[in-house]
Amino acid sequence: MDLLAEAPSLVILAATCISAVLWGSSILSGAVAGLISLGISSVVCAKWDRGRLVVALSVALLSLSISWWCSARMGMVSPPLGMASGEVVLERSWGKRVAMVIKGDQGAVVAKVSPERSFLEGTKLEWTGRIEPLMEPRDGNPFDERLYWLARGVTGVLVPKEMVYRGDGGGIHYLRSVLRERIQSSLPPLTRGYLLAALLGDRDPELVEPHSRWGTAHLLAVSGFHVGLVALLAWAFPWRGRWKWIIVSAFMWMYVLLAGAAASALRAALMVQVALWGLAFGRRSSVVNSVAVASLALLMYRPWWFWDLGWRLSVVSALAISALMTVKVKRRWITVLCASPLLWTVTAPMISGAFKTVPLAGAVLNTVALPAFSVLLPLAVLFSLPSLMGLPGGGLVAVVPEGAFALWGYGASMVEGLPVLRWSPWMVTLSCVSLGAILSIRFRVSPVRAGVLALILALFVAYFYN
């Protein structure tokens, strides 16, 4: 099958993303998406018949509709001016202050306060003060704070005069606070940092710095790797009965909510859910198409996720790895060895565009990092349970994962001296050619047609980051 027949949602996703960057108007954005979709379809299809024409026109119409919807949603932002109470659903450091996301009946706002005035997640509050619109981007500052908070569901800024505690919520956010306190108070440093990242989505600055040098910072962000690992472990458990997929789904979504429901985790969970439905009802779907469907669903729910680096890295990585792993080859170990260099290549421009540099060490370390952490993280949770439960001798048991993480750090530091690369048009070209090549091989697109798509994609990425 060709791309238009097996993964039409990928065409819609590409058209929607490109039009979102090029046009702000919802009408123009929709029209551009429809035209881009037709253009991509004409390039990827070498042979045309009535059936393919109907599919191409349907895909173009869906591209137009979804792009219009996303663009229109982005123009409907208004701060919840009358809101005076809510529950803290996120708490994180923001320079010398603490940023609290507070969700109420009219929406969500962010309050930036001093540490002594902050409240834990799961706390119910009432306040007096004013709510302002989100801050527009400043000239010369590459960080767009408005898009950052919109991607997290926040539509206003709370400037409080007084905040009053009104009890604990008792839901998932309160559970996150309790678990965070237990992890911070009962586990040694490395185990504490890794479990905070894997279970709650919190980043320990002492771990972020070395992992940034090693090119393995994605291990500290809840992503498809973590969601897939939880789903795999839940599936491996000897559940009985035909409703096994429901139990696995429940465990997976509970984990996603506990870990903070980041865009990358939601994308992975939606994709795994589609696969579980396929297993339950005997209908297998294209993995690449499932990635695109999950990504489009998230954009329709919250279009600002497109500007979130985690969402883009998650989608591009999932597309590359799903296309690679579904290419039919006689020796599967070849694709396994190619996975880490391919992921590094396709994500390098985005990482270097955001952080100015990207370490070459990541291409080497990630070959062993994912297999290693697929074992280390479950064992760390298992060996940390006695300490988290306050059992006698729990601290001694927790020494085991601490030593394993220390050993990992020692090994990773040995390749730390590899070069650090800066963003360049050549990096963008290599990334787009690599992604275009693996997709063209997977969907049997001719080299000339794949080259045209890769060139268009490279120009788009270069425009986006400049």
Side-chain angles (χ1 to χ4, degrees), residues 50 66 124 127 141-143 206 227 236 239 267 270 312 317 327 345 354 383 386 400-401 414 440:
R50 181 178 297 179
I66 292 174
K124 291 183 177 180
W127 61 79
N141 187 357
F143 176 66
E206 295 184 4
V227 175
W239 310 106
R267 190 274 312 155
L270 286 172
R312 296 198 302 272
S317 299
V327 171
T345 302
F383 280 89
V400 176
M414 296 177 66
S440 65

Side-chain angles (χ1 to χ4, degrees), residues 37-93:
S37 173
L38 287 174
I40 295 175
S41 298
S42 65
V43 172
V44 299
C45 284
K47 296 180 180 180
W48 285 90
D49 53 30
R50 181 178 297 179
R52 279 185 171 80
L53 181 60
V54 171
V55 172
L57 292 176
S58 301
V59 166
L61 181 60
L62 283 172
S63 299
L64 186 154
S65 303
I66 292 174
S67 181
W68 172 85
W69 168 264
C70 292
S71 184
R73 285 256 324 196
M74 293 180 67
M76 298 178 182
V77 178
S78 59
L81 299 178
M83 196 169 73
S85 63
E87 180 181 350
V88 180
V89 297
L90 178 67
E91 178 206 13
R92 57 158 298 174
S93 298

Side-chain angles (χ1 to χ4, degrees), residues 3 16 49 70 94 100 107 117 127 177 185 216 285 325 442:
L3 187 148
T16 301
D49 53 30
C70 292
W94 194 265
M100 298 186 303
R117 295 186 65 194
W127 61 79
S177 290
S185 63
T216 55
S285 60
M325 292 304 174
R442 171 62 181 81

Side-chain angles (χ1 to χ4, degrees), residues 138-160:
R138 299 177 181 177
D139 294 337
N141 187 357
F143 176 66
D144 193 328
E145 185 175 332
R146 181 174 182 272
L147 286 177
Y148 175 87
W149 288 118
L150 284 171
R152 284 148 184 82
V154 175
T155 57
V157 178
L158 170 64
V159 184

Side-chain angles (χ1 to χ4, degrees), residues 113-456:
V113 298
S114 59
E116 57 269 16
R117 295 186 65 194
S118 66
F119 292 87
L120 298 176
E121 287 183 34
T123 302
K124 291 183 177 180
L125 300 175
E126 290 184 358
W127 61 79
T128 58
R130 67 182 189 276
I131 295 177
E132 301 176 345
L134 292 169
M135 183 182 298
E136 294 292 338
R138 299 177 181 177
D139 294 337
N141 187 357
F143 176 66
D144 193 328
E145 185 175 332
R146 181 174 182 272
L147 286 177
Y148 175 87
W149 288 118
L150 284 171
R152 284 148 184 82
V154 175
T155 57
V157 178
L158 170 64
V159 184
K161 290 183 179 179
E162 182 182 9
M163 291 186 292
V164 181
Y165 171 79
R166 292 303 184 196
D168 295 325
I172 190 69
H173 303 293
Y174 177 73
L175 178 60
R176 280 169 52 85
S177 290
V178 172
L179 182 57
R180 181 182 292 111
E181 191 279 330
R182 293 295 301 164
I183 291 174
Q184 290 175 339
S185 63
S186 61
L187 296 179
L190 293 177
T191 306
R192 177 177 66 230
Y194 283 112
L195 289 194
L196 284 173
L199 299 180
L200 299 174
D202 294 348
R203 292 198 176 195
D204 187 337
E206 295 184 4
L207 289 181
V208 169
E209 196 274 330
H211 276 275
S212 297
R213 298 196 312 267
W214 301 334
T216 55
H218 58 90
L219 294 173
L220 304 179
V222 178
S223 63
F225 164 69
H226 300 84
V227 175
L229 182 60
V230 170
L232 183 62
L233 291 173
W235 185 265
F237 200 83
W239 310 106
R240 295 183 179 274
R242 57 180 300 187
W243 305 109
K244 179 177 181 177
W245 69 275
I246 296 180
I247 300 174
V248 175
S249 299
F251 271 96
M252 179 183 68
W253 285 107
M254 286 171 57
Y255 168 71
V256 170
L257 294 175
L258 182 66
S264 55
L266 288 171
R267 190 274 312 155
L270 286 172
M271 180 180 163
V272 173
Q273 189 66 69
V274 170
L276 289 172
W277 282 334
L279 289 172
F281 299 105
R283 295 183 178 180
R284 299 182 62 183
S285 60
S286 167
V287 182
V288 175
N289 196 59
S290 297
V291 173
V293 168
S295 305
L296 282 169
L298 291 179
L299 283 183
M300 293 179 69
Y301 172 65
R302 192 174 289 169
W304 303 276
W305 262 327
F306 173 74
W307 281 269
D308 183 78
L309 179 61
W311 182 87
R312 296 198 302 272
L313 288 172
S314 171
V315 171
V316 171
S317 299
L319 287 174
I321 200 67
S322 60
L324 177 66
M325 292 304 174
T326 51
V327 171
K328 294 182 179 180
V329 294
K330 292 182 179 180
R331 297 176 176 86
R332 181 56 59 183
W333 60 268
I334 295 177
T335 57
V336 174
L337 289 179
C338 291
S340 179
L342 175 65
L343 289 178
W344 185 91
T345 302
V346 299
T347 57
M350 289 184 282
I351 296 174
S352 59
F355 302 106
K356 309 305 180 185
T357 60
V358 58
L360 189 58
V364 178
L365 281 177
N366 283 310
T367 305
V368 296
L370 295 182
F373 273 76
S374 65
V375 176
L376 284 177
L377 289 177
L379 288 180
V381 173
L382 181 63
F383 280 89
S384 299
L385 283 177
S387 184
L388 293 175
M389 296 170 65
L391 299 178
L396 294 176
V397 178
V399 171
V400 176
E402 185 75 4
F405 286 128
L407 185 61
W408 156 259
Y410 175 77
S413 63
M414 296 177 66
V415 298
E416 192 177 315
L418 291 175
V420 175
L421 305 181
R422 294 186 176 276
W423 188 94
S424 71
W426 292 110
M427 186 182 294
V428 173
T429 303
L430 178 61
S431 172
C432 295
V433 167
S434 299
L435 184 59
I438 193 63
L439 288 173
S440 65
I441 294 172
R442 171 62 181 81
F443 295 104
R444 299 180 179 87
V445 179
S446 69
V448 174
R449 294 172 181 269
V452 172
L453 287 178
L455 177 61
I456 295 173

